[in-house]
């Protein structure tokens, strides 16, 4: 037969066990969310480190090109880029630098093609906040290109080179406006 | 002497007469076919050697025949003979450097068809004057009293552009250099660069395209040379067509050239080959005659054909 006292004792014991279990669950939950958070932090750190090392590598790799450009040696810079391209054919930065030189030397179709290739490979170059951003420079070429190339197309609608350049100009224009691929 | 009438002569030689008439009618038929299905000849300017020209442009010529349904034949022509042979009607289509296009346009009414695209400036290239990096030469003025090597005499970006650059910088190649040379024989462009690299000359006139191609091929390094001056970009090799060629034929050829892609192939010398790759060309572009004006200005200043003065 269960007495009232024994019943109370059992009740308190049950309450104690439940409270302990609750504390255990809460502590465990807090622990697991802490590790998930640190995982997120790890990934963000990893991304930042990858990005920083990419920027550092680019600065080192393309440093000689930048030096030639500062000295006004556009053609030598292009040759240096051609050499780098043999080792790093898919690197967007080389395409952007090439586009910049081609635009300066008056090869507009080729400049637009190089910029479009570079931006397709890496959107960083049209991102306002990015340290590698070339947004202003690309925007300027797109603006003048749209005028000259559309005039060429109006004079000769079948000109395939102008047609291809126009498509790339629209692509760059949409990326500058914030559009996706 | 026994006289025989013409009729009896014909009768006695009926077989022979019949055979002659048959041959005559065959000849007439052949002639008629030639008129209705003419052969269009394309004069290709030799860059180095005839076999190289045919290997490069034979597939392109075969492609034009396949694509247009017309018959084309490749003719190899040396630069100095080009104008004369074109004017003699030896070929109706031309594939030349841009200066020869200008000469034939000004003097013989050649019409512009399409221009070759190759390298970082597409259908254009530039002329550069370079020196070895360790030479101590840094400006065009430093070239006075020095040895300079040009490319071929008629080369727009191997001679004309550089001659003009020197004149405009106050250096008269005829008076101010120790001497200038043009390498003999074929592969002149390569000889120019190697001549400079190995110290035979102090400076060289090099097309930007050659520098780019030879750098990509690893034959030279970007750090070997310093670029002293560079011209504006001017059109590269160009297809032209005689003024009397049927406009429908011209349109077909222009369209076929514009439609060429790296995947386009043609049957040549018993195999199917990639046309653009064989020709060392990236594609073709329709330029305007006015795109050649910067070259015209250079040729005028340098007193080069078709604006020569004696």
């Amino acid at each position: 037969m269960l007495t009232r006292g024994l019943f109370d004792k059992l009740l308190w014991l049950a309450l104690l066990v439940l409270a302990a279990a609750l504390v255990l669950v809460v502590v465990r939950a807090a622990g697991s969310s802490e590790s998930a958070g640190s995982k997120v932090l790890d990934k963000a750190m990893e991304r930042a480190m990858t990005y920083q090392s990419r920027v550092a590598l680019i600065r080192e790799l393309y440093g000689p090109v930048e030096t030639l450009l500062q000295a006004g040696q556009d053609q030598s810079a292009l040759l240096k880029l051609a050499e780098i391209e043999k080792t790093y054919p898919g690197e967007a930065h080389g395409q952007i630098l090439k586009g910049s030189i081609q635009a300066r030397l008056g090869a507009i179709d080729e400049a637009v093609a190089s910029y479009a290739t570079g931006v397709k490979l890496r959107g960083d170059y049209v991102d306002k906040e990015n340290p590698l951003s070339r947004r202003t420079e690309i925007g300027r070429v797109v603006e003048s290109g749209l005028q000259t190339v559309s005039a060429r197309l109006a004079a000769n609608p079948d000109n395939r080179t102008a047609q291809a350049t126009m498509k790339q100009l629209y692509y760059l224009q949409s990326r500058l406006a914030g559009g996706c691929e | 002497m026994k006289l025989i009438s013409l009729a009896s002569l014909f009768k006695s030689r009926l077989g022979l007469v019949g055979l002659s008439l048959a041959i005559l009618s065959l000849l007439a038929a052949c002639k008629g076919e030639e008129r209705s299905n003419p052969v269009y000849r394309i004069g290709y300017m030799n860059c180095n050697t005839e076999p190289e020209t045919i290997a490069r442009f034979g597939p392109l010529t075969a492609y034009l025949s396949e694509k247009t349904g017309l018959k084309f034949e490749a003719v190899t022509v040396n630069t100095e003979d080009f104008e004369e042979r074109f004017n003699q009607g030896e070929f109706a289509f031309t594939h030349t450097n841009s200066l020869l296009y200008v000469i034939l346009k000004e003097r013989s009414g050649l019409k512009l068809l399409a221009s070759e695209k190759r390298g970082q400036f597409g259908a254009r290239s530039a002329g550069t004057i370079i020196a070895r990096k360790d030479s101590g030469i840094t400006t065009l003025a430093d070239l006075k009293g020095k040895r300079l090597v040009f490319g071929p005499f008629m080369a727009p970006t191997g001679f004309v552009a550089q001659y003009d650059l020197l004149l405009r910088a106050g250096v008269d190649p005829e008076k101010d250099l120790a001497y200038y040379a043009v390498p003999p024989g074929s592969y002149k462009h390569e000889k120019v660069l190697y001549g400079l690299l190995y110290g035979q000359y102090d400076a060289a006139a090099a097309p930007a395209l050659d520098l780019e191609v030879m750098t990509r091929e690893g034959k030279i390094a970007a750090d070997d040379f310093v670029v002293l001056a560079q011209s504006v970009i001017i059109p590269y090799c160009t297809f032209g067509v005689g003024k009397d060629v049927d406009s429908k034929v011209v349109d077909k050829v222009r369209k076929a050239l514009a439609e060429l892609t790296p995947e386009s192939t043609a049957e040549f010398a018993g195999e199917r080959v990639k046309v653009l790759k064989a020709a060392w060309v990236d594609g073709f572009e329709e330029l305007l005659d006015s795109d050649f004006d910067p070259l015209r200005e250079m040729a005028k200043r340098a007193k080069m054909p078709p604006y020569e003065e004696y």
Side-chain angles (χ1 to χ4, degrees), chain A residues 68 73-76 78-83 85-86 98 101-102 105-110 152 155-156 158-162, chain B residues 117 119-123 128 133 208 211-212 215-218 220-223 225-227 230 233 255 258-259 284-286:
Chain A
L68 287 165
Q73 289 276 325
D74 283 347
Q75 186 57 45
S76 300
L78 272 177
L79 296 179
K80 201 79 200 160
L81 281 174
E83 273 183 356
E85 208 176 301
K86 282 198 289 185
K98 187 159 73 174
I101 302 170
Q102 286 165 325
L105 295 177
I108 295 303
D109 294 308
E110 290 71 32
R152 263 167 63 205
N156 182 3
D158 294 330
N159 187 320
R160 283 163 198 252
T161 306
Chain B
K117 290 200 282 189
Q120 289 169 330
F121 300 125
T128 70
K133 207 163 219 171
L211 292 173
E212 179 191 336
T215 302
R216 282 188 196 285
E217 290 172 348
I220 55 171
D223 292 331
F225 307 111
V226 58
V227 180
Q230 178 161 343
I233 54 174
K255 188 167 179 285
E259 284 174 356
F284 285 91
E285 180 173 356
E286 286 179 52

Side-chain angles (χ1 to χ4, degrees), chain A residues 87-166:
Chain A
T87 319
Y88 302 94
E91 178 46 57
H93 198 75
Q95 295 291 332
I96 299 292
L97 287 178
K98 187 159 73 174
S100 170
I101 302 170
Q102 286 165 325
R104 202 160 41 247
L105 295 177
I108 295 303
D109 294 308
E110 290 71 32
V112 171
S114 297
Y115 278 136
T117 307
V119 172
K120 269 179 196 160
L121 287 167
R122 283 223 166 233
D124 303 358
Y125 298 95
V126 285
D127 177 359
K128 218 184 295 182
E129 309 300 331
N130 199 291
L132 293 174
S133 179
R134 298 276 180 141
R135 196 183 159 79
T136 314
E137 166 192 323
I138 295 173
R140 252 197 321 264
V141 171
V142 169
E143 197 181 325
S144 75
L146 282 170
Q147 283 178 5
T148 55
V149 180
S150 60
R152 263 167 63 205
L153 260 182
N156 182 3
D158 294 330
N159 187 320
R160 283 163 198 252
T161 306
Q163 285 170 355
T165 306
M166 207 62 192

Side-chain angles (χ1 to χ4, degrees), chain A residues 2 4 8 24 26 33 72 74 110 121 126 139 145 149 157 162 172-173:
Chain A
L2 197 65
R4 184 181 293 268
D8 285 347
L24 201 68
V26 169
S33 88
D74 283 347
E110 290 71 32
L121 287 167
V126 285
V149 180
L172 288 171
Q173 194 182 33

Side-chain angles (χ1 to χ4, degrees), chain B residues 11-69:
Chain B
K11 261 185 196 170
S12 66
R13 298 285 183 267
L14 203 59
L16 273 178
V17 172
L19 188 64
S20 308
L21 284 174
I23 291 171
L24 196 68
S25 61
L26 261 176
L27 279 173
C30 286
K31 200 77 186 161
E33 194 189 351
E34 201 176 282
R35 265 198 302 273
S36 65
N37 195 10
V39 175
Y40 293 98
R41 291 185 180 81
I42 306 172
Y44 289 100
M45 193 185 96
N46 280 323
C47 194
N48 292 307
T49 62
E50 283 188 17
E52 184 193 88
T53 307
I54 290 298
R56 283 181 68 186
F57 298 110
L60 177 57
T61 310
Y63 162 83
L64 289 175
S65 295
E66 285 176 22
K67 191 84 178 172
T68 62

Side-chain angles (χ1 to χ4, degrees), chain A residues 48-67:
Chain A
M49 281 170 72
T50 309
Y51 191 76
Q52 288 300 323
S53 54
R54 180 170 181 268
V55 172
L57 178 69
I58 279 175
R59 293 213 164 118
E60 189 190 322
L61 204 60
Y62 292 95
V65 180
E66 298 283 3
T67 308

Side-chain angles (χ1 to χ4, degrees), chain B residues 225-273:
Chain B
F225 307 111
V226 58
V227 180
L228 306 176
Q230 178 161 343
S231 74
V232 295
I233 54 174
I234 52 177
Y236 185 59
C237 287
T238 292
F239 265 110
V241 60
K243 57 179 188 243
D244 299 327
V245 177
D246 185 349
S247 64
K248 283 180 190 155
V249 172
V250 175
D251 289 343
K252 276 186 179 179
V253 176
R254 183 179 284 127
K255 188 167 179 285
L257 288 172
E259 284 174 356
L260 266 167
T261 69
E263 282 72 43
S264 306
T265 60
E267 193 78 18
F268 179 71
E271 58 179 334
R272 199 95 201 145
V273 292

Side-chain angles (χ1 to χ4, degrees), chain B residues 23-261:
Chain B
I23 291 171
L24 196 68
S25 61
L26 261 176
L27 279 173
C30 286
K31 200 77 186 161
E33 194 189 351
E34 201 176 282
R35 265 198 302 273
S36 65
N37 195 10
V39 175
Y40 293 98
R41 291 185 180 81
I42 306 172
Y44 289 100
M45 193 185 96
N46 280 323
C47 194
N48 292 307
T49 62
E50 283 188 17
E52 184 193 88
T53 307
I54 290 298
R56 283 181 68 186
F57 298 110
L60 177 57
T61 310
Y63 162 83
L64 289 175
S65 295
E66 285 176 22
K67 191 84 178 172
T68 62
L70 303 166
K71 181 144 180 57
F72 288 92
E73 256 179 33
V75 181
T76 59
V77 191
N78 285 331
T79 313
E80 61 272 20
D81 302 331
F82 211 98
E83 190 174 4
E84 188 182 341
R85 288 176 67 179
F86 175 72
N87 287 332
Q88 284 169 353
E90 212 177 305
F91 41 87
F93 287 83
T94 62
H95 178 272
T96 65
N97 69 35
S98 48
L99 182 65
L100 259 175
Y101 160 73
V102 168
I103 293 170
L104 294 173
K105 158 88 182 165
E106 304 296 313
R107 293 177 176 163
S108 308
L110 187 78
K111 290 190 284 189
L112 184 61
L113 202 51
S115 297
E116 258 180 47
K117 290 200 282 189
R118 192 180 174 202
Q120 289 169 330
F121 300 125
R124 295 171 173 85
S125 185
T128 70
I129 299 179
I130 57 174
R132 273 175 61 128
K133 207 163 219 171
D134 57 7
S135 67
I137 298 169
T138 54
T139 65
L140 291 183
D142 296 340
L143 292 179
K144 291 188 178 179
K146 298 283 196 297
R147 305 161 299 168
L148 185 137
V149 60
F150 281 107
F153 173 65
M154 296 287 274
T157 57
F159 188 98
V160 184
Q162 289 87 349
Y163 201 96
D164 177 50
L165 279 171
L166 286 168
L167 286 177
R168 286 195 291 144
V171 181
D172 186 340
E174 308 298 335
K175 295 176 189 160
D176 297 331
L177 300 173
Y179 71 86
Y180 72 78
V182 172
S186 56
Y187 297 99
K188 285 184 168 64
H189 295 294
E190 284 83 352
K191 285 174 182 168
V192 162
L193 285 170
Y194 288 131
L196 175 66
L197 194 60
Y198 294 110
Q200 197 178 353
Y201 305 99
D202 301 307
L209 181 62
D210 289 0
L211 292 173
E212 179 191 336
V213 171
M214 288 177 77
T215 302
R216 282 188 196 285
E217 290 172 348
K219 291 178 178 170
I220 55 171
D223 292 331
D224 288 340
F225 307 111
V226 58
V227 180
L228 306 176
Q230 178 161 343
S231 74
V232 295
I233 54 174
I234 52 177
Y236 185 59
C237 287
T238 292
F239 265 110
V241 60
K243 57 179 188 243
D244 299 327
V245 177
D246 185 349
S247 64
K248 283 180 190 155
V249 172
V250 175
D251 289 343
K252 276 186 179 179
V253 176
R254 183 179 284 127
K255 188 167 179 285
L257 288 172
E259 284 174 356
L260 266 167
T261 69

